[in-house]
Amino acid sequence: MENTRSNSSSIPTILDGIKAADIKVNYGPDLPSDPEVVEYFDKLRPDTWSIIPPEEELNPQQREALAVFGNADNLREDPGYKIITTTSRMLVEAEARRLSRQKTTQVVDKCIKSGMIAKENRDRLIDRHAKVTEGTILTLRRQVLDDELDEDSLLCEYLQLGASNLGRLAILECLGFSKASVRGAISCGSIDDYESKKSKSEEFFALTDKEREEKLEKLLKQSERVIKQRRADRKKREQEAALEAAYKKMFGDDLEGATRRIERDVESLQQDGYALECLSAKLIHNREETELITGNLGELRQAFPDLCYPSGLNALDYLAEKCSADTKMAVLVGAQVMGTGKVYALGTNLATIYKKSDSSEG
């Protein structure tokens, strides 16, 4: 497959030695015209990188991190660099311990509040479980680069605006940042996403041209499936929201009150000589309010052309084969009601059909 045009909507950039494709590539599937699929595919494919946002879109810590790594070679020539790095390493380790203990304390206190553990075991459990893990360091990295350090952090003083560039560089390096990973974390959204994409990119460029082409074709098909599912989910949510709004409009917030009103209407019908004829039919179109319509069968057939059995057969047309057009009947909209007069279910497309007992048969 030859494709010498750009097949990425974003401009890929090389992130300090991490290999990335040129804007034009000689492999890759022709993209569909669907922009949502193209956008998802561009983010998924391992041969492109998102560009670093404009400086005005970066937070202060991101700008400072880019600046110090841009001057890192000169800063490392400073005579105090090694000493400050040693001090920074101890500071980062202390902050990691503080953060781990803070998180553990929150969990233990929550368990005490819920009654899961005894209050007298609090300190012992915190001491036992407050361990620095890889996750602790990842959290610190994210907090630093996202400018989300809490006010009690031991790093705040050394990372505030105007602080020593040498100290900032040392702390960032002790957290595991490099020029490449800082740029990658900013462009990819997080350090985790950068590391993942870096790994996938290296694996991708180790493939042959044919294998790369096959990989991109698979990713494109995956993108199409994902977007198709997203749209289906979105449509389902919209339908559910519309149905919920219609349900609320029909019954309000007091379902028990709505149920009682319907059951009173049914009781009144029964006193007038109407008996249950059918509760399995449903309306094709949702209604906006509950109503009880009485009349002869001919009139109701015109009023409810969409009242059908599950099979699709029109319920009133079927009844017309057994009853005359003058038969007195009633349709209750908004509920399925049992023969006892009790509501079985409420719904914007539900209905119950009644026939007056002394009406003539066809």
Side-chain angles (χ1 to χ4, degrees):
M1 179 183 298
E2 290 294 322
N3 179 15
T4 57
R5 63 176 175 83
S6 171
N7 57 0
S8 173
S9 60
S10 61
I11 301 174
T13 59
I14 295 176
L15 294 176
D16 302 297
I18 304 304
K19 195 171 183 181
D22 293 332
I23 296 176
K24 293 184 178 181
V25 296
N26 292 322
Y27 47 83
D30 290 329
L31 293 178
S33 58
D34 190 325
E36 197 172 354
V37 173
V38 173
E39 181 181 2
Y40 187 86
F41 177 59
D42 281 346
K43 293 178 180 178
L44 198 62
R45 56 188 300 170
D47 63 326
T48 62
W49 294 90
S50 303
I51 61 173
I52 292 179
E55 184 174 346
E56 60 268 18
E57 295 182 16
L58 303 179
N59 69 51
Q61 289 298 333
Q62 290 172 336
R63 288 196 293 269
E64 292 292 329
L66 288 172
V68 295
F69 275 110
N71 191 37
D73 290 341
N74 291 331
L75 290 172
R76 293 188 189 103
E77 295 297 326
D78 190 292
Y81 171 70
K82 290 185 178 180
I83 295 175
I84 290 179
T85 297
T86 300
T87 304
S88 297
R89 184 175 296 111
M90 291 187 292
L91 185 66
V92 167
E93 290 172 353
E95 172 62 9
R97 290 193 295 271
R98 186 199 72 83
L99 180 62
S100 177
R101 190 171 185 85
Q102 179 189 66
K103 299 297 184 183
T104 303
T105 299
Q106 291 172 350
V107 173
V108 171
D109 285 348
K110 186 175 180 180
C111 291
I112 291 174
K113 187 175 180 179
S114 66
M116 294 175 63
I117 60 177
K119 189 174 182 179
E120 54 267 25
N121 294 328
R122 179 179 185 273
D123 293 341
R124 179 176 59 82
L125 289 172
I126 292 174
D127 291 340
R128 177 191 296 177
H129 295 288
K131 307 296 182 183
V132 175
T133 65
E134 183 179 353
T136 310
I137 301 302
L138 289 175
T139 298
L140 266 181
R141 287 182 177 183
R142 180 188 57 76
Q143 289 181 342
V144 167
L145 214 54
D146 289 350
D147 201 10
E148 293 179 352
L149 286 173
D150 65 64
E151 58 183 12
D152 296 325
S153 173
L154 304 176
L155 304 181
C156 281
E157 178 182 352
Y158 304 94
L159 294 177
Q160 63 183 328
L161 298 182
S164 163
N165 285 336
L166 186 59
R168 183 184 301 276
L169 175 65
I171 287 174
L172 291 174
E173 288 181 330
C174 289
L175 284 170
F177 281 114
S178 64
K179 184 177 182 179
S181 64
V182 163
R183 288 172 59 84
I186 293 173
S187 67
C188 296
S190 73
I191 186 66
D192 294 344
D193 288 345
Y194 162 72
E195 294 290 354
S196 174
K197 187 153 191 176
K198 174 185 173 183
S199 175
K200 291 177 181 177
S201 179
E202 291 171 345
E203 291 176 3
F204 180 80
F205 282 98
L207 302 174
T208 65
D209 283 347
K210 182 175 178 57
E211 289 171 334
R212 292 173 187 167
E213 181 179 323
E214 292 172 349
K215 177 70 173 179
L216 292 180
E217 287 177 341
K218 289 180 181 179
L219 291 177
L220 178 55
K221 290 179 181 178
Q222 178 182 338
S223 302
E224 292 172 332
R225 288 195 302 271
V226 168
I227 297 304
K228 182 179 179 180
Q229 185 60 51
R230 282 185 180 179
R231 287 173 176 163
D233 293 342
R234 190 159 57 232
K235 183 177 181 180
K236 182 180 179 181
R237 288 193 299 270
E238 290 171 353
Q239 291 173 338
E240 290 174 346
L243 185 59
E244 182 178 351
Y247 198 86
K248 186 171 183 179
K249 185 174 183 179
M250 175 176 273
F251 303 110
D253 295 321
D254 185 6
L255 296 184
E256 291 185 2
T259 299
R260 286 194 297 271
R261 287 193 299 272
I262 291 171
E263 290 177 348
R264 284 197 299 268
D265 287 342
V266 171
E267 183 180 4
S268 178
L269 268 181
Q270 291 172 336
Q271 290 173 352
D272 289 341
Y274 286 85
L276 175 66
E277 180 68 25
C278 172
L279 58 75
S280 62
K282 293 184 180 180
L283 295 156
I284 295 175
H285 302 99
N286 292 321
R287 298 300 198 266
E288 293 186 350
E289 57 185 27
T290 59
E291 55 183 342
L292 177 61
I293 306 296
T294 59
N296 61 48
L297 180 55
E299 293 169 340
L300 293 179
R301 288 177 71 186
Q302 294 181 4
F304 295 98
D306 62 337
L307 183 55
C308 300
Y309 293 117
S311 64
L313 177 66
N314 184 285
L316 296 176
D317 286 350
Y318 173 74
L319 291 175
E321 297 179 3
K322 303 191 302 178
C323 308
S324 71
D326 295 330
T327 302
K328 297 296 183 181
M329 305 198 76
V331 175
L332 173 69
V333 175
Q336 289 177 330
V337 183
M338 297 180 291
T340 60
K342 295 297 182 181
V343 170
Y344 175 73
L346 297 175
T348 56
N349 68 331
L350 299 183
T352 305
I353 303 173
Y354 292 89
K355 182 167 77 73
K356 200 161 188 179
S357 56
D358 58 356
S359 292
S360 60
E361 298 287 336

